[in-house]
Amino acid sequence: MDWPMPTEPTTPSVMDQIVSLCKRRGFVYQASEIYGGIRGFWDYGPLGVLLKNNIRDWWWKCMVECPPVGPDGDIVSMVGLDSSIIQHPKTWEASGHTATFADPMRRCTKCGHIIRADHYWDILVTTSKWFNDLIQSFEYAPTPTPYPALTTGPLLRWANRAGKKLAPNMALVRNPEVTLASLATRVNGQPTSPPDVREITQYLATEQMHMTGLQDPCVLCGAPMGTPEQFNLMMVTYAGTTQSAENLVYLRPETAQGIFLNFRNIIDTNRIKVPFGVAQTGKSFRNELTPRNFIFRSREFEQMEMEFFCPPDDALKWYEFWRGERMKWWLTLGIKPENLIFRDHATDELSHYSKATVDIEYKYPFTAPDFGELEGIAHRGDYDLSQHSKHSGQKLDYFDQELQLKLKEQGASAEDVKSKSRYIPNVIEPASGLTRAVLVLLCEAYTYEKGRAGAEEWFKFKPKFAPVKLGIFPLVNKDGMPEMAEKIYMDLRQRYTCEYDPKQSIGKRYARMDEIGTPMCIVVDGDSLKDNTVTVRDRDTTAQERVSVDKLHAYVAAKLEM
Ligand code: GAP
C-alpha cells in the first residue's frame, strides 16, 4: 500500500533529549512552571543566561566594538543603542505594524481553539491526539485496479468508540453514515486518483458537502475550522492611570523601530556620518498563535538587530556586504557550514517594507533535512525613515557633504549635486534572534556517545561560548587539597567563569562538567602540594595533562582561544 501518508513528525527524539538536558542542568525552564507553565514563555536558568550573554557579548563585540572593514576598505562606523520597549503608539502606525503585522488565523467553530492557518496541517499531524489515533484505522483492501480501496469498517468502529472521546465534534463521529457514504462516492467516482490522507481527513470532517465544501477538522475536537482571518501579533498594555483606549500602548514586536526613532538624535549628538550602523539587542514580544519547538518561536524573546544607514545608490553594495559578513559571523560560533544556508525571499514573500531579503537558515533537529530561519538580512530602502518623517512631521533626511564634494569633482550638474547630496538614507538590516541563537548552539553542541566515560550526552560548545569555562576541584576534600584548589579558583575566576566543586567522586564531577559543556577541569591532588602541578582534563578527548600552576594561565588561555 503506497498511498501518500502525512509527513512523519520529524524525529522528536533528539529535540526531546536536548530539552530534557536543558531542564536537568539549568539552561532553560518553562516559565511559571509551578503554575503549570504559560505557553510561549521561557526562563533562562543559571547556565542558560551565561550562554545567552556569551553570544550577545560576542555579537556586540563584532558589531559595535570591532565592526568589520567595509567593501571599500574603510572601517565600518557603528554605535550602540538601548531604546525603550514601549514607544509612542504612532510608531507602530508609521512602521505598518498596526495594519499589517498579522498572521492568518483560524478558529474552531465549536471549541474556539485558534491555530495559525499556514501551520494547520503540520500541527494536525504532529500534535493532534485524535488524528494520530484515527490514522491507525486507515486500512486498505486490494482491488482489481492498481489502487487499493479504503476500508470503512475500522473507521466506523473508531467513530463509535475512540472517536467519541477524542474528537466528539467531528462529522465522522456525529454522523458516520453520511460522512462515510460521501467519502465512498468520492473514492468510487474517481478510482484512478484516490484521495490522499489529507483529503480523506477532510471528508471525515464534512457533513454537508454540497453546502460547505470540504472542511478542515479542529486539531482538538474535530469540528470544522472557520475561514482564515488576520490576527495582529502585537501585545497590548496600558501606560497611564486608566486602562482606556488613549492609554493603550504596544510591547515592541522588534527592536528595530527604536533605532529609526533615534536616527536624528544619533546624527545630531555623535561625530558620525552616513554610512553608519546602529546596533541594539533586547526583548521583543509577539503574540504568536502557535509558539512551538521549544524556544524557537516564543511570545517573549530577544533580538540582535542592526540598522545600517547608507546612501541610496550604495544600498545594494551594502546589502551584499552584510549578507556575507553575517554568514561569516555565524561560522565563528562553531556552527558547521553544512548546517547553515542562505534562502532568498521570493518577491511575493517580501515584507511590506523590503526591497530584498535573504534569510540565514539553520538545520534544526525539528526541520531536518530542511532548514529554518535564524536571521533575516533585509534591504528596507528608505521605508522606515520616510514613514516616521511623514507621521511625526520631523525631517529625517541627511545632507551628505562628502558626496556633494565627490559629485562636484566628478563634474555632475548643479541640479544632480543638489538632488543627490540630500537624501533619506536607505537601510540594510541584519536582524537575528538571540534566543534562537541559544537554541542553535544547544542543537549544534548536543552530542551523544553511548558508553562514553564521563557523560554519554553532553554539550560540545566551542570553548568561547561555554557557560562555564573551567571546573576546579580538589581530588579529595581534605589534606590541604581544597585550600590549594580554592586559591586557583579565586585566581582564575577573575578572568573566566569557573565552578569550584569539592564533593562527590571525581568521575561524577567530570560527568557533570561534560554535560554542561565545560571545556576543561583542573584537579588538585596529593602530588600538587609537592610539585605545584595540577591535572587538566579535556572535555572532548577526556585526555589528562599535568600542568605547572605557574603556567596555568597561559595554558588555559591558549586552550580556551580567548
Ligand atoms: N526587524 C526585522 C525583524 O524583526 P523578523 O524576521 O521578524 O525581522 C528577526 O525577526 C529575527 O528574530 C528572526 O530571524 C528570528 O531569529 C527572531 N524571531 C522572530 N520571531 C521570533 C519568535 N517568535 N521567537 C523567537 N525568535 C524570533
Side-chain angles (χ1 to χ4, degrees):
M1 192 270 292
D2 55 0
W3 276 25
M5 292 297 286
T7 23
E8 283 286 311
T10 42
T11 47
S13 56
V14 174
M15 205 53 225
D16 286 350
Q17 283 164 358
I18 293 172
V19 174
S20 152
L21 185 55
C22 281
K23 167 82 202 294
R24 254 189 355 262
R25 287 304 180 206
F27 282 87
V28 182
Y29 311 117
Q30 202 183 5
S32 311
E33 197 181 278
I34 61 167
Y35 290 107
I38 168 163
R39 253 185 105 210
F41 296 89
W42 300 92
D43 294 338
Y44 291 78
L47 295 176
V49 71
L50 290 171
L51 176 61
K52 181 149 66 71
N53 288 348
N54 288 344
I55 301 171
R56 186 189 38 218
D57 292 350
W58 180 235
W59 185 87
W60 193 262
K61 177 116 217 141
C62 298
M63 278 295 190
V64 183
E65 293 169 9
C66 307
V69 173
D72 298 329
D74 299 327
I75 296 172
V76 164
S77 288
M78 192 77 66
V79 291
L81 180 75
D82 184 7
S83 70
S84 183
I85 283 176
I86 292 177
Q87 301 285 354
H88 195 290
K90 278 192 180 168
T91 306
W92 310 108
E93 269 172 47
S95 66
H97 282 82
T98 327
T100 59
F101 192 57
D103 278 338
M105 146 309 237
R106 295 178 77 179
R107 193 189 297 272
C108 171
T109 52
K110 271 276 180 322
C111 73
H113 182 63
I114 288 175
I115 203 165
R116 218 176 114 167
D118 50 340
H119 293 170
Y120 166 75
W121 183 245
D122 192 25
I123 291 171
L124 181 79
V125 170
T126 54
T127 68
S128 170
K129 269 201 191 129
W130 68 255
F131 178 82
N132 283 294
D133 197 64
L134 172 67
I135 199 97
Q136 316 297 327
S137 306
F138 280 31
E139 275 182 26
Y140 302 90
T143 64
T145 70
Y147 306 103
L150 191 68
T151 314
T152 51
L155 294 174
L156 191 57
R157 273 198 297 282
W158 185 86
N160 289 326
R161 289 182 203 155
K164 283 201 157 57
K165 227 167 63 193
L166 296 174
N169 296 328
M170 193 170 183
L172 171 70
V173 175
R174 294 188 307 107
N175 207 343
E177 284 75 19
V178 170
T179 313
L180 290 173
S182 168
L183 176 62
T185 310
R186 158 69 178 87
V187 172
N188 298 332
Q190 295 159 268
T192 55
S193 63
D196 61 12
V197 171
R198 183 169 192 154
E199 199 185 341
I200 296 171
T201 308
Q202 289 177 317
Y203 267 94
L204 300 180
T206 308
E207 248 170 299
Q208 294 182 306
M209 242 327 248
H210 57 290
M211 305 251 302
T212 61
L214 283 179
Q215 301 283 299
D216 285 323
C218 169
V219 300
L220 293 186
C221 74
M225 294 299 285
T227 47
E229 301 160 35
Q230 289 302 309
F231 176 86
N232 195 291
L233 300 184
M234 279 199 294
M235 288 209 191
V236 168
T237 186
Y238 297 91
T241 49
T242 54
Q243 294 200 344
S244 50
E246 68 272 19
N247 285 338
L248 186 145
V249 288
Y250 299 99
L251 303 188
R252 69 179 174 202
E254 59 173 20
T255 58
Q257 296 302 322
I259 298 179
F260 300 127
L261 299 194
N262 281 290
F263 172 73
R264 186 85 275 154
N265 282 340
I266 290 172
I267 295 248
D268 289 348
T269 57
N270 292 269
R271 279 167 52 78
I272 200 157
K273 287 185 283 191
V274 171
F276 71 93
V278 183
Q280 157 154 256
T281 68
K283 294 254 182 185
S284 290
F285 302 82
R286 296 183 188 179
N287 196 8
E288 297 285 357
L289 282 165
T290 45
R292 59 193 181 134
N293 291 327
F294 195 31
I295 54 176
F296 177 80
R297 178 174 293 110
S298 14
R299 289 178 168 149
E300 175 178 337
F301 55 99
E302 279 178 71
Q303 290 187 302
M304 307 185 287
E305 297 198 287
M306 190 275 283
E307 309 302 319
F308 194 77
F309 301 95
C310 61
D313 286 351
D314 292 346
L316 273 177
K317 177 179 77 182
W318 285 106
Y319 174 64
E320 291 300 327
F321 172 75
W322 284 113
R323 267 174 83 118
E325 286 303 311
R326 294 306 303 147
M327 180 60 100
K328 277 194 236 158
W329 186 81
W330 286 108
L331 294 172
T332 65
L333 270 69
I335 304 170
K336 291 182 219 62
E338 63 269 27
N339 286 343
L340 290 168
I341 52 159
F342 281 120
R343 189 183 67 81
D344 284 292
H345 283 210
T347 321
D348 60 356
E349 198 191 342
L350 292 175
S351 307
H352 58 280
Y353 52 75
S354 173
K355 292 191 165 173
T357 297
V358 64
D359 282 348
I360 294 179
E361 296 191 335
Y362 177 73
K363 197 196 279 178
Y364 300 92
F366 48 83
T367 58
D370 294 331
F371 293 74
E373 184 184 345
L374 172 58
E375 166 158 355
I377 299 132
H379 178 344
R380 298 179 74 120
D382 65 7
Y383 177 82
D384 303 275
L385 291 180
S386 295
Q387 283 292 104
H388 288 304
S389 179
K390 208 177 335 161
H391 284 250
S392 66
Q394 303 289 316
K395 282 195 158 188
L396 296 178
D397 58 359
Y398 178 77
F399 172 59
D400 192 330
Q401 205 168 8
E402 276 178 23
L403 183 60
Q404 186 189 47
L405 280 176
K406 202 165 116 193
L407 289 168
K408 277 185 182 161
E409 274 166 25
Q410 286 170 352
S413 68
E415 205 178 307
D416 257 12
V417 172
K418 192 166 172 229
S419 68
K420 287 200 164 167
S421 50
R422 183 170 284 282
Y423 53 79
I424 295 186
N426 273 208
V427 168
I428 307 303
E429 175 200 63
S432 58
L434 171 57
T435 40
R436 215 169 264 190
V438 170
L439 176 61
V440 165
L441 283 208
L442 289 170
C443 295
E444 187 72 13
Y446 179 80
T447 311
Y448 180 80
E449 206 180 303
K450 193 152 181 54
R452 175 184 189 263
E456 285 189 334
E457 51 173 359
W458 80 102
F459 287 117
K460 198 172 175 178
F461 296 117
K462 186 170 175 180
K464 190 181 197 67
F465 302 99
V468 177
K469 303 284 187 280
L470 300 166
I472 301 171
F473 323 136
L475 182 62
V476 288
N477 201 15
K478 57 182 183 184
D479 300 336
M481 290 176 226
E483 289 77 6
M484 184 173 175
E486 262 180 41
K487 193 160 170 271
I488 293 173
Y489 166 70
M490 294 301 278
D491 175 31
L492 286 172
R493 74 173 196 175
Q494 301 293 329
R495 179 117 192 249
Y496 308 106
T497 315
C498 304
E499 257 191 47
Y500 176 72
D501 186 355
K503 299 220 174 99
Q504 278 193 323
S505 76
I506 193 71
K508 282 198 175 142
R509 281 180 280 172
Y510 281 153
R512 186 177 166 272
M513 284 295 149
D514 281 354
E515 271 189 320
I516 66 173
T518 305
M520 272 182 281
C521 292
I522 295 172
V523 180
V524 170
D525 57 20
D527 287 344
S528 306
L529 302 165
K530 293 181 213 144
D531 61 7
N532 203 34
T533 62
V534 287
T535 296
V536 182
R537 175 187 177 272
D538 182 275
R539 174 195 66 195
D540 300 341
T541 61
T542 71
Q544 303 190 1
E545 222 178 309
R546 209 67 197 169
V547 179
S548 160
V549 173
D550 303 332
K551 296 194 174 132
L552 204 49
H553 263 287
Y555 180 91
V556 164
K559 288 261 178 180
L560 293 178
E561 305 164 43
M562 301 297 281

